[in-house]
Amino acid sequence: MASSSKAKKKTVRLASGRKRARQDVKRNAENTSLRSHFRTVVKNVQKAVVAGDKPKAAELFKAAQSVIDSIADKGIFHKNKAARHKSRLSAKIKALGVAAQ
């Protein structure tokens, strides 16, 4: 017997299960949006670093830190992952200043 690639979606019978399913959809949408915002913010800082614009990169990094921290606080990313991203971005910005001198 060949199995289809799509899994069958079970309909939940209990009211608590239906509520959980609704909440999961909302949470998934919110988390996806936050994850996307995180990637965009990090990408903007990296673009400024590649362009060699240290003041703009520093300004964008300052805004990015709060986004990265909020995502870690909400549990979307582990706090160590957030710290790693901040550390690496900060190092790139510092290296930009050393290279310019």
Side-chain angles (χ1 to χ4, degrees):
M1 286 195 236
S3 61
S4 66
S5 60
K6 288 187 178 180
K8 278 191 173 180
K9 213 174 190 184
K10 289 187 176 182
T11 54
V12 183
R13 294 173 186 247
L14 298 175
S16 61
R18 288 196 300 267
K19 180 177 179 182
R20 172 61 59 201
R22 286 194 309 269
Q23 289 174 336
D24 288 345
V25 168
K26 287 180 188 173
R27 271 199 197 97
N28 189 355
E30 179 66 20
N31 290 347
T32 303
S33 172
L34 288 170
R35 208 174 295 118
S36 174
H37 184 55
F38 164 83
R39 289 190 196 112
T40 303
V41 165
V42 169
K43 225 178 278 183
N44 288 342
V45 176
Q46 289 173 342
K47 282 180 186 175
V49 168
V50 169
D53 190 359
K54 186 177 179 179
K56 184 176 180 183
E59 179 186 323
L60 289 170
F61 176 66
K62 195 172 183 180
Q65 280 181 311
S66 65
V67 172
I68 294 169
D69 286 334
S70 72
I71 285 192
D73 289 342
K74 291 175 183 169
I76 296 170
F77 288 154
H78 194 274
K79 61 183 177 121
N80 291 357
K81 178 175 179 165
R84 182 175 68 243
H85 276 281
K86 290 194 305 185
S87 174
R88 288 181 182 171
L89 287 174
S90 176
K92 285 180 182 178
I93 293 171
K94 280 186 182 177
L96 193 63
V98 173
Q101 292 177 352

